[in-house]
Amino acid sequence: MPDFHIINIVQDKHQDIQSADFVPHVKNSLKFSSWYEATFDAEITFIAKKLAKNLPDESSNHVILVLGNDTTLNAVLNGLLSVERQHQLPISYIPLDLHTNFTPALHLKDKTNVLPQLQQIHHPKFLNIGKICGDIPKQQTKYFISSVGIGFDTALTEYKKNTSPFKLNVLKNHFLTTKAFFNQKSFPVTINACSEYLQLPNSFLLTLKNKATATSTTGNLPETSIEIIVLRKMKMMQFVTGIIFNHKYLRSNIIHHVNLSPGDAIHVHDIQPGHIDGGLLGNGCFSFNVDQQSYPFWI
């Protein structure tokens, strides 16, 4: 039987009404050892770090259950991994946000049966996570589950996160995204991969995508699971068409796909905004190495 330690993000403006009602349901229906509530990312990371320090470093049934959004999940992951442990604490996740990139990996169609489902799991599943080390934009190490974006990708992520079903808000977000598109200047990117060396001087969007491939029960990694996508500056109609058709019709000189291997280096030689799993990384120049490892998830 899993021993849950729950971290809940409160006052999330992107939660729907059903999710707001779901949190008290979890509190009343699920047996747990500890419950923590936080209002910002640094507090979430601190709580996760404290749990990683205080819970016994041994094979056990302790599980960190995250109630929140993808940014909350990322903050918990980075907090747990900031403490050196031989046995990592498995993470479980119930997204309360309208927008999440992690739902397919959870196999959750709705929240109705999720609590009994989590209690019936006996062993964690290992998933690949990404790791970036270097100036991002200051010297640090960060882990990500879904994606890292630099340049216009940050504005695009904010647009998706802020989109709501109300028509006026949708129109406002479209306007802000269009404005951000025209304000985004091109910047140089260098990719130093084992298979090729690319210099892309007119980039305006860079994305690292983690394919989140499931690994074996022992945590052994398959080969490449992280891809970098770089788009060069283009006309607005080309960009809109590319987004609608998932970049299928963009010419090869506009969009670049490169599968990355551990140790490959990315350099952004300009001050740009960055995000990681939907949370802001800040503005600056980026120069980092890419790596990957497995982490246990209770899914």
Side-chain angles (χ1 to χ4, degrees):
M1 189 74 174
D3 188 6
F4 290 108
H5 302 267
I6 301 176
I7 301 177
N8 175 46
I9 182 72
V10 296
Q11 298 177 346
D12 183 358
K13 64 180 179 180
H14 303 298
Q15 285 183 12
D16 54 22
I17 296 174
Q18 290 182 341
S19 294
D21 293 337
F22 180 74
V23 173
H25 171 67
V26 174
K27 211 165 193 176
N28 295 328
S29 305
L30 186 67
K31 185 177 179 180
F32 55 88
S33 291
S34 57
W35 182 288
Y36 302 90
E37 296 194 342
T39 55
F40 54 92
D41 293 346
E43 186 179 8
I44 295 165
T45 302
F46 174 79
I47 293 169
K49 188 174 182 179
K50 184 171 70 172
L51 285 169
K53 285 182 176 180
N54 293 341
L55 291 176
D57 188 1
E58 59 189 30
S59 181
S60 65
N61 60 347
H62 292 290
V63 177
I64 310 302
L65 174 56
V66 180
L67 306 177
N69 54 36
D70 288 359
T71 306
T72 313
L73 181 62
N74 180 275
V76 170
L77 176 70
N78 279 276
L80 293 176
L81 283 170
S82 67
V83 178
E84 188 174 345
R85 291 176 59 97
Q86 184 177 356
H87 300 88
Q88 297 294 349
L89 294 165
I91 298 176
S92 189
Y93 177 43
I94 302 178
L96 304 182
D97 201 323
L98 293 169
H99 309 284
T100 177
N101 292 315
F102 200 62
T103 301
L106 298 172
H107 306 291
L108 294 178
K109 294 182 180 179
D110 58 61
K111 300 182 181 71
T112 307
N113 299 318
V114 63
L115 298 183
Q117 178 182 326
L118 292 178
Q119 293 176 86
Q120 291 170 7
I121 298 172
H122 300 288
H123 303 285
K125 178 186 292 185
F126 285 85
L127 298 181
N128 287 342
I129 60 172
K131 177 182 179 182
I132 52 178
C133 305
D135 293 322
I136 44 179
K138 62 182 180 180
Q139 187 69 31
Q140 57 186 319
T141 297
K142 286 284 187 180
Y143 300 88
F144 65 97
I145 296 169
S146 177
S147 65
V148 173
I150 297 171
F152 182 74
D153 196 18
T154 302
L156 196 62
T157 300
E158 288 300 300
Y159 156 71
K160 291 178 181 178
K161 192 165 64 174
N162 292 321
T163 300
S164 71
F166 299 106
K167 290 183 177 180
L168 288 178
N169 285 332
V170 170
L171 290 174
K172 178 183 177 182
N173 286 325
H174 277 301
F175 170 76
L176 293 175
T177 303
T178 303
K179 182 180 178 182
F181 177 89
F182 287 109
N183 288 338
Q184 177 65 52
K185 305 298 182 183
S186 61
F187 54 90
V189 173
T190 301
I191 304 172
N192 189 1
C194 62
S195 58
E196 55 188 317
Y197 182 85
L198 291 176
Q199 289 183 307
L200 309 172
N202 298 313
S203 309
F204 93 119
L205 180 154
L206 181 154
T207 305
L208 285 176
K209 292 185 68 176
N210 178 25
K211 298 175 184 178
T213 309
T215 67
S216 68
T217 54
T218 59
N220 294 326
L221 288 166
E223 294 185 0
T224 303
S225 65
I226 297 178
E227 178 186 39
I228 184 170
I229 303 169
V230 181
L231 270 68
R232 73 168 174 81
K233 188 70 173 178
M234 67 190 84
K235 294 180 180 179
M236 183 67 180
M237 187 53 65
Q238 287 178 306
F239 178 72
V240 171
T241 304
I243 292 296
I244 292 173
F245 295 103
N246 198 24
H247 302 154
K248 289 180 181 178
Y249 299 106
L250 289 178
R251 298 195 305 272
S252 59
N253 66 333
I254 293 178
I255 184 168
H256 299 270
H257 294 263
V258 180
N259 287 325
L260 298 176
S261 299
D264 289 350
I266 311 297
H267 302 275
V268 175
H269 311 279
D270 198 0
I271 295 177
Q272 294 296 324
H275 80 81
I276 185 166
D277 286 339
L280 295 179
L281 273 173
N283 296 347
C285 297
F286 293 80
S287 179
F288 55 84
N289 292 326
V290 177
D291 204 344
Q292 58 192 57
Q293 66 185 63
S294 63
Y295 194 89
F297 286 84
W298 201 263
I299 55 176

